[in-house]
Amino acid sequence: NAGVTQTPKFQVLKTGQSMTLQCAQDMNHEYMSWYRQDPGMGLRLIHYSVGAGITDQGEVPNGYNVSRSTTEDFPLRLLSAAPSQTSVYFCASSSPRGTFSNEQYFGPGTRLTVT
Amino acid sequence: GDSVTQMEGPVTLSEEAFLTINCTYTATGYPSLFWYVQYPGEGLQLLLKATKADDKGSNKGFEATYRKETTSFHLEKGSVQVSDSAVYFCALSDRPGRGGSYIPTFGRGTSLIVHP
């Protein structure tokens, strides 16, 4: 199993450009999430999905869109990049149903710089 | 709502010192508790977990006990190594039907620096 994969690993954008961060998992997990990590802020939830076709907003959704057309993939779209979106982005997946825990599996991250 | 509070860092120790990183939580339900570790340049990975009161999670010499009476889940290690230098995140995950949504709540992370 590859686990959770993210591409690209690094990206530099100019203000106003758009792009898609890719995330895929091969564990058949129903839950998938996007977080951003900023110094001193910990992890902040952007969007999440509890299954194919179902998405919901997290703590900081503005400026980002998501869709979940398959169980495996959960891309994050930046509509018009702003310097405030400079961050490290992590995708995570989990399969909590029928268990007493909800262990998250994280991808390696995408480091995004917006100039 | 649910929340996790962990001690601010960085925590700086010499090799073989004893480590404690405090974590307390508030939750509407009866959550599972986790510690994740993030090594430089990597994503988070599960270090240990506990799913009910008085459970002790352990892994790689690290331990944490689920204390419902004090709503705490402190991380401890008896003798740290330079390779333990990382950021440690405490987290909880509540369960639907008990007021939770399965979406985890993370603390802000505590940086640990271990010197030789």
Side-chain angles (χ1 to χ4, degrees), chain A residues 49-66:
Chain A
S49 169
V50 300
I54 306 169
T55 63
D56 207 345
Q57 295 182 351
E59 180 185 357
V60 288
N62 292 344
Y64 308 94
N65 273 359
V66 292

Side-chain angles (χ1 to χ4, degrees), chain B:
Chain B
D2 296 349
S3 68
V4 174
T5 303
Q6 57 182 108
M7 60 190 292
E8 293 202 15
V11 174
T12 303
L13 296 172
S14 297
E15 206 165 24
E16 299 184 359
F18 184 86
L19 168 72
T20 300
I21 300 178
N22 291 336
C23 172
T24 57
Y25 69 90
T26 59
T28 54
Y30 196 175
S32 296
L33 302 174
F34 307 84
W35 277 102
Y36 288 86
V37 58
Q38 182 182 30
Y39 297 105
E42 299 183 8
L44 282 70
Q45 57 186 274
L46 181 69
L47 179 60
L48 55 83
K49 66 182 181 184
T51 59
K52 61 183 186 296
D54 299 325
D55 264 4
K56 179 185 284 188
S58 61
N59 186 24
K60 299 181 181 179
F62 291 90
E63 294 182 340
T65 301
Y66 189 167
R67 301 287 188 199
K68 192 171 185 294
E69 64 276 12
T70 55
T71 61
S72 65
F73 193 54
H74 305 321
L75 182 68
E76 296 181 336
K77 186 175 186 183
S79 175
V80 294
Q81 306 299 313
V82 172
S83 57
D84 293 326
S85 297
V87 180
Y88 293 81
F89 291 88
C90 186
L92 70 82
S93 180
D94 214 337
R95 281 163 254 170
R98 295 172 184 264
S101 65
Y102 279 138
I103 299 302
T105 300
F106 287 87
R108 291 199 168 189
T110 301
S111 175
L112 171 65
I113 302 168
V114 181
H115 294 293

Side-chain angles (χ1 to χ4, degrees), chain A residues 52-78:
Chain A
I54 306 169
T55 63
D56 207 345
Q57 295 182 351
E59 180 185 357
V60 288
N62 292 344
Y64 308 94
N65 273 359
V66 292
S67 61
R68 183 98 179 269
S69 56
T70 68
T71 299
E72 293 79 18
D73 300 299
F74 192 43
L76 179 72
R77 298 184 193 83
L78 278 69

Side-chain angles (χ1 to χ4, degrees), chain A residues 40-108:
Chain A
M41 300 295 292
L43 291 173
R44 292 185 290 172
L45 182 65
I46 305 171
H47 286 285
Y48 66 97
S49 169
V50 300
I54 306 169
T55 63
D56 207 345
Q57 295 182 351
E59 180 185 357
V60 288
N62 292 344
Y64 308 94
N65 273 359
V66 292
S67 61
R68 183 98 179 269
S69 56
T70 68
T71 299
E72 293 79 18
D73 300 299
F74 192 43
L76 179 72
R77 298 184 193 83
L78 278 69
L79 308 173
S80 177
S84 61
Q85 294 178 305
T86 294
S87 187
V88 182
Y89 291 84
F90 289 100
C91 180
S93 74
S94 67
S95 183
R97 300 189 194 283
T99 73
F100 288 101
S101 72
N102 185 21
E103 174 185 347
Q104 302 290 303
Y105 292 80
F106 284 85

